[in-house]
Amino acid sequence: MTIRISGTGGALPDKILTNSELEKTVDTSDAWIRERTGIGARHIAQNETVASLAAEACRKALSDAGRNAEDVELILVASTSSEMLLPCIACQVQSETGAVNAAAFDINAACAGFLFALQTANAYIASGIYRNALVVGAEVLSRIVDWKDRSTCVLFGDGAGAVFAEACDEEGMGIRAMLQGSDGRRGVVLQCRAGHYTETDHELFPYKDPFIHMDGSEVYKFAVRTIPECIEQVLEQAGLKACDIDLYILHQANIRIIGSIAKRLGVDEDRFPHNLEHVGNTSSAAIPLLLDELNKSGKIKRGAKLVLSGFGAGLTYGACVMRW
Ligand code: UT7
């Protein structure tokens, strides 16, 4: 028993912040941001919250799958930027969508969070505990970005993506292989202190403000070394070669990272779709948002072989191979 994705949904805040607008508030340029990252604009939440974006994405995923909220048995929300510590985002989504029969909880594995949540759903469904799940990545990173720090504020955006995943016993279809990993020893390279802490200081935690701090080049090196190896391992588990895959749906952090991973795998960059030009890095929402764009525009055909892979704070990483 495995799972397949039978519906996708996405939600983006109305407000768009372009690189040119950022030029007016920090010492940066549209040219630098595009050349070094590939990002042109990002959406910024104003009235939207992590939960409202997640709920909108879930409603669309349910509609795409042709299912009712009451059918949902599990809601998993991956996020790092909830406005609320309690209740968890997944319970807020349950309340907003009317998925009254579901168990609901959150997962924090930063930009790899959606893949961790998908693997958790897979484990629950494969073991027979539940038959389906809404799996969501949702972020309002603009709340935890230091808008005076040009090394991070130009990168991130807000949004949510959701999938409806259900049990699949069709031979060869659905998730074929999954892998996830973490290297907590290197967590210092990407940190954000919780807003409610005031005093505790620690050598592993040098920042006093509740904003994202990142050693970008360390995360970059981690991604381009770890992700090709991780993808090669899941391909081997699935009995496939890199050239067999139709689309690689990667975490949308930096177009140069995506290009480097393509090169290391020896696969043409055409098979690595991206949307970071208009949404930026939306952390755990990046993979499901891109998946939704591709699904809704008919770019993923039934039977297509896909690799999903992400990496981020923790450090965390993961990949999966699926047949659509
Ligand atoms: O989502 C998972 C977590 N995040 C990531 O995956 C991000 C991974 N890292 C990256 O994508 C890249 O490392 C960055 C885009 C963050 C930075 O690109 P880079 O090519 O590694 O640039 P850099 O940090 O080495 O900085 C190069 C120069 C520096 O100036 P000097 O020291 O050479 O004079 C920076 O101060 O670019 C400067 N710089 C900027 N200039 C204009 C840094 N940010 C900006 C900026 N605008 N926004």
Side-chain angles (χ1 to χ4, degrees):
M1 175 73 75
T2 181
I3 59 171
R4 65 182 277 267
I5 291 173
S6 54
T8 65
L12 290 166
D14 293 332
K15 182 182 162 54
I16 295 171
L17 179 65
T18 64
N19 292 348
S20 312
E21 287 169 291
L22 269 173
E23 280 178 357
K24 294 175 196 149
T25 54
V26 277
D27 180 15
T28 190
S29 67
D30 178 51
W32 190 96
I33 304 169
R34 281 183 197 276
E35 190 187 311
R36 305 310 292 167
T37 71
I39 296 166
R42 68 290 290 145
H43 290 249
I44 302 293
Q46 291 182 295
N47 299 322
E48 302 89 347
T49 63
V50 179
S52 73
L53 291 165
E56 186 184 337
C58 285
R59 281 190 288 267
K60 290 177 179 168
L62 284 172
S63 157
D64 190 38
R67 299 295 287 262
N68 299 317
E70 295 82 9
D71 298 338
V72 178
E73 298 188 5
L74 176 66
I75 304 172
L76 297 177
V77 179
S79 183
T80 55
S81 53
S82 181
E83 299 85 0
M84 308 274 292
L85 279 179
L86 301 169
C88 68
I89 306 161
C91 283
Q92 296 175 65
V93 168
Q94 175 179 39
S95 169
E96 284 201 36
T97 58
V100 289
N101 298 313
F105 64 93
D106 293 354
I107 288 177
N108 177 352
C111 305
F114 175 77
L115 286 169
F116 278 54
L118 193 63
Q119 182 152 9
T120 306
N122 190 35
Y124 271 114
I125 294 170
S127 64
I129 296 174
Y130 299 117
R131 286 167 298 180
N132 65 52
L134 276 169
V135 184
V136 191
E139 304 284 1
V140 176
L141 295 166
S142 58
R143 286 182 47 248
I144 56 169
V145 155
D146 178 354
W147 288 100
K148 294 192 288 300
D149 175 10
R150 68 175 183 174
S151 71
T152 52
C153 77
V154 304
L155 305 173
F156 298 105
D158 303 335
V163 302
F164 185 75
E166 52 189 315
C168 166
D169 48 20
E170 202 180 335
E171 182 66 27
M173 301 299 279
I175 288 182
R176 313 308 315 155
M178 283 198 119
L179 188 155
Q180 60 189 23
S182 310
D183 184 358
R185 294 165 304 178
R186 297 164 74 189
V188 72
V189 302
L190 182 39
Q191 294 190 334
C192 180
R193 186 174 190 149
H196 61 283
Y197 274 151
T198 49
E199 283 310 319
T200 313
D201 210 354
H202 194 275
E203 60 176 9
L204 282 177
F205 205 109
Y207 310 111
K208 294 202 188 290
D209 58 65
F211 300 126
I212 293 174
H213 292 270
M214 177 169 69
D215 181 337
S217 76
E218 282 303 313
V219 181
Y220 192 107
K221 283 186 266 177
F222 166 74
V224 298
R225 281 182 199 143
T226 310
I227 295 301
E229 283 170 20
C230 175
I231 290 175
E232 273 159 7
Q233 282 180 45
V234 277
L235 286 171
E236 194 180 327
Q237 270 181 43
L240 294 168
K241 295 197 172 56
C243 61
D244 296 329
I245 298 300
D246 298 299
L247 291 174
Y248 286 85
I249 298 166
L250 301 193
H251 175 47
Q252 301 288 295
N254 188 318
I255 197 71
R256 293 184 295 134
I257 294 178
I258 295 172
S260 169
I261 293 169
K263 197 167 165 199
R264 282 179 196 228
L265 291 170
V267 177
D268 197 291
E269 277 186 48
D270 289 358
R271 296 197 204 177
F272 290 72
H274 42 85
N275 65 356
L276 78 179
E277 301 82 0
H278 62 271
V279 299
N281 178 348
T282 57
S283 188
S284 63
I287 290 173
L289 264 174
L290 179 56
L291 197 59
D292 180 54
E293 271 191 42
L294 296 165
N295 179 34
K296 299 287 167 58
S297 59
K299 294 199 175 105
I300 311 180
K301 308 279 179 244
R302 178 143 170 82
K305 297 187 196 82
L306 309 181
V307 161
L308 276 47
S309 184
F311 57 88
L315 296 170
T316 55
Y317 57 93
C320 87
V321 178
M322 68 170 75
R323 189 115 189 258
W324 194 253

